[in-house]
Amino acid sequence: MKKSILMSGFLVLIMGTASFGAQEFDLRLNMLKLNSELNDLHRGFIRGDKKEVSVALESFAKDAKDLLSNRDAMINMLPKDMKNKKHKVNIAVESAREIDISVQTIREAIENKDSVSVIKRQNASQEAYLHIVDSCFKCHNLVRDKGRISQ
């Protein structure tokens, strides 16, 4: 627990003191922030803490939408020498759409307006969380890591 708190604090410190001049660095910092928020969401699921899940979900959803849904901002954040930028941005925007759907599924499970059993709500929300992670990996594999994986 102390390690995760220290790591989160370290990431906040890095983001707060870092220079935001280089666009690729901005993207890296934003991805680190999303990763930290996704880890907070994961931790909330593991602990079974509905409030922690809700708080982490809201910050993650807002930041993911702000970062990944804006095509122009994404194009500007990708490295200048990157090929097929528009295609890669389309992948990021599609991932943002899939993340948004999964976030809504988790919200519905938390609200439980249909009086669904706890087990079914847990399964639905955890499955939606896995869809979020899958969307992140899909985007990373196609946009960022394609050359790195084959090496």
Side-chain angles (χ1 to χ4, degrees):
M1 171 130 164
K2 288 181 183 179
K3 185 178 180 181
S4 65
I5 291 171
L6 287 174
M7 186 60 166
S8 295
F10 179 68
L11 287 173
V12 169
L13 179 65
I14 288 174
M15 287 185 273
T17 59
S19 167
F20 293 101
Q23 291 172 345
E24 185 175 350
F25 194 61
D26 284 345
L27 183 60
R28 182 175 301 257
L29 282 177
N30 283 317
M31 289 298 156
L32 285 172
K33 183 177 181 184
L34 288 176
N35 183 47
S36 176
E37 292 167 348
L38 196 57
N39 287 335
D40 292 343
L41 183 58
H42 180 144
R43 194 170 24 262
F45 278 122
I46 294 296
R47 291 181 182 157
D49 186 337
K50 192 160 63 167
K51 183 176 181 178
E52 187 176 357
V53 168
S54 293
V55 169
L57 184 67
E58 291 311 311
S59 63
F60 174 77
K62 180 193 175 304
D63 291 339
K65 186 174 185 173
D66 290 348
L67 176 65
L68 301 174
S69 296
N70 187 335
R71 290 179 192 273
D72 295 331
M74 281 297 295
I75 285 176
N76 291 332
M77 280 191 224
L78 292 173
K80 299 281 185 221
D81 60 342
M82 181 178 271
K83 296 179 183 177
N84 302 321
K85 276 188 178 185
K86 288 184 180 179
H87 172 68
K88 292 177 181 184
V89 167
N90 287 338
I91 292 168
V93 170
E94 176 61 22
S95 293
R97 188 187 67 76
E98 291 172 5
I99 288 170
D100 191 46
I101 291 168
S102 296
V103 164
Q104 189 58 36
T105 300
I106 295 170
R107 284 181 181 141
E108 289 170 3
I110 290 171
E111 292 172 5
N112 191 24
K113 292 181 179 176
D114 298 328
S115 299
V116 178
S117 73
V118 172
I119 298 294
K120 286 183 180 179
R121 287 185 295 131
Q122 284 176 335
N123 287 340
S125 61
Q126 291 166 357
E127 192 173 307
Y129 169 80
L130 293 175
H131 284 292
I132 291 171
V133 172
D134 183 53
S135 294
C136 293
F137 277 123
K138 182 173 71 173
C139 187
H140 277 242
N141 290 342
L142 296 173
V143 174
R144 186 200 69 187
D145 291 336
K146 193 170 185 176
R148 294 181 192 169
I149 291 174
S150 63
Q151 295 176 352

